[in-house]
Amino acid sequence: MAANPELQAQISALPHKPGVYKYFDDEGIIYVGKAIDLRKRVSSYFTKQDHNKKTQQLVRNIKRLEFTIVDSESDAFLLENNLIKQHQPKYNILLKDGKTYPFLCLTNERFPRLIPTRNKINDGSRYYGPYANGTALNVLLELIRALYPLRTCNYNLSAANVEAGKFKPCLELQIGNCNAPCVAREEEATYNTYIQQIRNILNGDLRIPKQYFRERMSAAAQDMQYELAHQFKVKLDKLEAFQAKSTIVSDTLTNIDVFAIASNEKAGFITYLKVMNGSIILTQSLEVTKKLDEEDAEILAPLIMQLRQEFESESKEILTNVAVELPLPGVNLAVPQIGDKRKLLELAIKNVLYARKEKESMNEKSKDSNEVRIMETIKKDLRLTELPKHIECFDNSNFQGDNPVAAMVCFRNSKPSKRDYRHYHIKTVIGPNDFDSMYEVVSRRYRRLVDEGASLPQLVIVDGGKGQLSMAVKALKDLNLWGQIAIIGIAKRLEEIYVPNDPLPIYIDKRSESLRLFQRMRDEVHRFGITFHRSLRDAGTLKTELTDVKGLGPVTAEKLLNKFKSVKKIRELTEAELIAEVGKSKARILQTYLAENEAPAHPMPPRQLPKPA
């Protein structure tokens, strides 16, 4: 697809360097992309001939472009990701949830606190996370507070303030949640031991905290402090219960990011597992809408960069189920086939396939729910005795009485059932008589269904007013089907719904799903009938024009008319042009026919000269 001259000039001026390009239409940015070679990549959009339909649509909408040169492919990747999040172009895959994920903050102060937050401040505090949801964060926070007596107040517990006795113990001391370091009842060294173990837990390593509580429990039991030993036993049980709920991958695996993708025609589904110290500490699943029929690798690559950035991953190993190329120096990307890493990847694949299945199931249920709701609405509006799961609609078509035809379309469960559509040649009616034509096609349709023992529709719609409806009713009565099938007529002008034996129409709310479905069926049967009528009319035109030429044949005649559109233009062809189209012998036959059937000349009337003065 060729670019306009101004755009072509921009493309010709692009450098052979890595960078990011932005495509614009009349309203703004519609696509952002990256390239190792800007000129080659952008030129390919306009020179390749095998683009899919969505990419062709993108190219048609490009009015101008802008670009930014960067130092490396890695910089291009990051800049592209930031620009997509900033501008959200309609042809790019987007991760547009706009969430800020929560962290656990271990504050940088004497007797540190552990607090949840969504804002990271560069004050020397240590942040853990982010966590994919607040529930996971709260479970971990509750566990740590149950294990260790951390303070929750925001007092400045400097040594000088504590020695000066500026603070008093609060209720937390009385209920056993805090040992009151504010009044020097907790030694700083002991408190820092808790903090070190909390860091291990937050990093996914539970071995040191478990060993600590096991040793304290044994020491208390040897000193016959059984109540204290029981307290340590309860805390050890809490740790083990938490570990049992966590997915332990392998003692041999350390820090790994795992990504799996599965897609369908409309969307891609991605699952991310973050593994630290052999345990999965974070799982995140998301869905992105496809914009340009992208391959799985094209979808996954930018999302790996974005998710690693959002969840602050520094893992040096990435496992995926499709091969991707990423500008991440020092990071190993692999698609494992065997071993513990393969088992870990299969866990991610299982999760992403489940996510896709759940989404498709929800969409299917939503469709089914919509269809049932529409049929219930029709049943209520027309006061039917049963749900109209099978509806048929009829229409006639003719042009000044020529080639009279009719058409029927069938909807099942509120959706077109195109295999049940039917065309009809009108056989018993002469001239443009819509009423008798309607009688004929309705009779033929339901006589055949009865003869074949096929199921009858619950509702029949006739495109027309009271006249067409009355003839359709007569056809049903003559077939002894009256009372077995509900029937209505829909008039075009005011969208009036007529029912048998009632001179006044029913007016259905213009916003009603019933009326919208009736209009859709009416438009569909009209399209279906008109298409059939035009094909017959074109065939008739073809036959009368050239197929009577002996020795020419219908295939050759159709080929000529398809290319030149009329016999008049065929007459204007030279002998050489005719030979090039149909060969020497057929060209001679056609020339002879056209000469013998010369089009009548229409000479101009003589021009009247003005009389001399």
Side-chain angles (χ1 to χ4, degrees):
M1 186 177 296
N4 62 59
E6 183 180 350
L7 190 57
Q8 188 59 53
Q10 283 185 286
I11 296 170
S12 301
L14 288 172
H16 292 287
K17 293 185 176 180
V20 171
Y21 54 91
K22 295 178 284 187
Y23 289 148
F24 294 77
D25 64 3
D26 293 329
E27 297 179 359
I29 295 177
I30 58 174
Y31 185 75
V32 174
K34 65 181 182 309
I36 300 175
D37 186 312
L38 279 168
R39 187 186 296 182
K40 285 184 179 179
R41 181 72 184 103
V42 173
S43 298
S44 69
Y45 283 92
F46 301 93
T47 56
K48 286 180 65 176
Q49 303 298 320
D50 57 347
H51 288 311
N52 59 54
K53 290 183 179 180
K54 291 182 180 179
T55 305
Q56 291 173 10
Q57 182 66 34
L58 164 66
V59 174
R60 280 194 291 268
N61 290 336
I62 298 171
K63 298 299 173 64
R64 65 184 182 89
L65 69 88
E66 293 180 1
F67 66 93
T68 303
I69 299 173
V70 296
D71 293 331
S72 65
E73 184 186 1
S74 177
D75 293 337
F77 225 117
L78 294 173
L79 178 57
E80 178 199 36
N81 189 38
N82 291 333
L83 288 173
I84 289 173
K85 285 194 288 186
Q86 177 184 350
H87 299 289
Q88 298 184 357
K90 66 180 181 180
Y91 286 101
N92 281 101
I93 292 172
L94 304 178
L95 185 58
K96 304 189 291 187
D97 53 16
K99 291 179 181 175
T100 56
Y101 295 102
F103 293 83
L104 279 174
C105 172
L106 203 56
T107 58
N108 180 29
E109 57 187 332
R110 191 166 179 255
F111 298 103
R113 293 169 292 143
L114 184 66
I115 57 175
T117 182
R118 290 182 182 268
N119 299 315
K120 293 182 67 175
I121 302 172
N122 189 18
D123 60 355
S125 298
R126 178 68 187 273
Y127 292 86
Y128 295 88
Y131 295 88
N133 58 70
T135 303
L137 178 145
N138 289 329
V139 167
L140 190 55
L141 184 58
E142 288 175 10
L143 170 72
I144 291 172
R145 285 178 174 170
L147 296 175
Y148 303 100
L150 297 182
R151 73 182 181 107
T152 57
C153 62
N154 57 2
Y155 298 145
N156 178 9
L157 301 187
S158 65
N161 287 342
V162 173
E163 289 176 7
K166 290 188 175 182
F167 312 110
K168 292 182 180 181
C170 63
L171 184 62
E172 292 291 308
L173 173 63
Q174 297 179 31
I175 62 178
N177 289 342
C178 177
N179 290 336
C182 56
V183 292
R185 295 187 59 169
E186 178 84 276
E187 293 183 4
E188 187 174 0
T190 303
Y191 195 94
N192 287 338
T193 301
Y194 303 154
I195 295 300
Q196 184 56 49
Q197 293 180 25
I198 289 170
R199 288 196 178 103
N200 290 331
I201 293 174
L202 293 174
N203 286 324
D205 186 0
L206 304 184
R207 293 172 298 174
I208 295 176
K210 286 171 65 177
Q211 182 64 24
Y212 170 79
F213 288 119
R214 192 175 289 113
E215 290 174 355
R216 296 295 298 272
M217 179 182 67
S218 298
Q222 288 175 4
D223 293 341
M224 292 185 291
Q225 299 179 23
Y226 298 116
E227 186 176 345
L228 182 60
H230 177 70
Q231 292 175 8
F232 288 123
K233 174 68 166 62
V234 170
K235 292 184 177 185
L236 182 61
D237 290 343
K238 286 181 181 291
L239 267 178
E240 290 180 341
F242 176 77
Q243 189 173 34
K245 292 179 182 177
S246 303
T247 303
I248 306 301
V249 181
S250 171
D251 293 336
T252 61
L253 300 180
T254 53
N255 299 343
I256 301 175
D257 285 336
V258 186
F259 295 89
I261 182 170
S263 62
N264 54 28
E265 293 180 358
K266 296 182 179 180
F269 301 84
I270 296 91
T271 289
Y272 169 43
L273 307 180
K274 186 175 182 180
V275 180
M276 292 186 68
N277 298 312
S279 299
I280 297 174
I281 65 165
L282 182 144
T283 64
Q284 176 75 321
S285 294
L286 54 93
E287 174 190 356
V288 293
T289 303
K290 288 185 176 182
K291 299 299 180 71
L292 298 174
D293 294 335
E294 296 89 349
E295 298 293 330
D296 284 353
E298 295 178 85
I299 298 172
L300 187 57
L303 292 178
I304 289 176
M305 300 286 285
Q306 188 159 341
L307 288 169
R308 279 172 59 89
Q309 184 181 29
E310 288 186 354
F311 291 104
E312 301 185 350
S313 173
E314 297 178 354
S315 299
K316 297 301 181 183
E317 187 167 15
I318 298 175
L319 308 181
T320 62
N321 64 329
V322 295
V324 294
E325 294 183 5
L326 291 172
L328 293 172
V331 177
N332 179 42
L333 288 94
V335 183
Q337 303 299 320
I338 57 173
D340 289 339
K341 293 180 181 179
R342 180 63 195 182
K343 291 178 181 177
L344 180 57
L345 179 59
E346 286 174 352
L347 178 62
I349 294 171
K350 185 184 296 184
N351 276 273
V352 79
L353 291 176
Y354 178 78
R356 184 181 68 179
K357 182 179 178 181
E358 281 291 293
K359 182 66 174 182
E360 291 173 346
S361 177
M362 287 174 59
N363 290 341
E364 196 61 36
K365 286 179 181 177
S366 176
K367 277 185 191 174
D368 293 343
S369 176
N370 290 339
E371 292 160 7
V372 171
R373 188 187 67 250
I374 293 171
M375 291 186 288
E376 290 283 4
T377 304
I378 295 172
K379 180 182 177 183
K380 178 181 176 183
D381 287 343
L382 299 181
R383 300 179 180 87
L384 303 179
T385 58
E386 56 183 323
L387 210 61
K389 296 181 179 179
H390 178 182
I391 308 175
E392 295 184 349
C393 183
F394 292 86
D395 185 30
N396 298 319
S397 179
N398 66 75
F399 179 71
Q400 297 179 351
D402 292 335
N403 298 316
V405 296
M408 184 278 295
V409 298
C410 174
F411 275 43
R412 295 183 184 273
N413 296 321
S414 305
K415 297 185 296 186
S417 177
K418 295 195 174 183
R419 64 194 180 100
D420 294 318
Y421 284 18
R422 295 293 183 270
H423 285 135
Y424 294 92
H425 292 277
I426 302 300
K427 299 178 179 179
T428 62
V429 181
I430 298 175
N433 189 328
D434 281 349
F435 299 155
D436 289 344
S437 297
M438 185 62 69
Y439 176 86
E440 177 185 328
V441 295
V442 172
S443 298
R444 288 167 57 186
R445 170 63 176 168
Y446 297 118
R447 183 182 295 113
R448 179 162 188 167
L449 291 186
V450 170
D451 291 344
E452 293 177 350
S455 62
L456 297 172
Q458 286 84 35
L459 177 63
V460 171
I461 302 173
V462 172
D463 182 18
K466 290 183 285 186
Q468 286 91 339
L469 176 61
S470 63
M471 295 305 288
V473 168
K474 184 176 184 300
L476 294 181
K477 288 180 177 179
D478 291 346
L479 293 171
N480 295 319
L481 295 177
W482 178 242
Q484 299 182 43
I485 304 174
I487 185 168
I488 62 171
I490 178 169
K492 292 184 178 68
R493 192 168 64 89
L494 297 176
E495 307 293 8
E496 298 167 327
I497 304 296
Y498 286 93
V499 297
N501 303 321
D502 190 344
L504 298 177
I506 297 173
Y507 290 97
I508 298 179
D509 189 337
K510 295 293 187 287
R511 295 167 295 180
S512 168
E513 290 180 309
S514 299
L515 184 59
R516 285 205 294 267
L517 182 67
F518 298 158
Q519 291 168 332
R520 183 184 174 193
M521 292 190 71
R522 190 264 314 281
D523 295 342
E524 176 71 352
V525 75
H526 185 68
R527 177 202 64 78
F528 191 56
I530 285 292
T531 303
F532 182 47
H533 183 262
R534 283 175 179 165
S535 67
L536 294 177
R537 200 170 61 196
D538 291 345
T541 302
L542 176 65
K543 184 177 185 306
T544 56
E545 291 288 348
L546 290 181
T547 50
D548 287 338
V549 181
K550 188 175 180 181
L552 196 61
V555 174
T556 305
E558 184 175 2
K559 174 185 172 184
L560 288 170
L561 286 176
N562 282 341
K563 183 169 184 178
F564 298 104
K565 308 304 180 186
S566 70
V567 175
K568 179 182 177 183
K569 290 185 178 179
I570 296 173
R571 289 179 184 277
E572 295 171 356
L573 298 177
T574 64
E575 182 178 359
E577 290 171 333
L578 266 179
I579 292 173
E581 292 295 332
V582 298
K584 187 177 292 185
S585 61
K586 289 184 179 179
R588 189 178 299 112
I589 292 170
L590 187 55
Q591 279 188 316
T592 302
Y593 170 82
L594 294 175
E596 292 174 353
N597 295 271
E598 190 82 30
H602 297 285
M604 293 288 290
R607 185 179 177 186
Q608 298 293 324
L609 297 176
K611 294 182 179 180

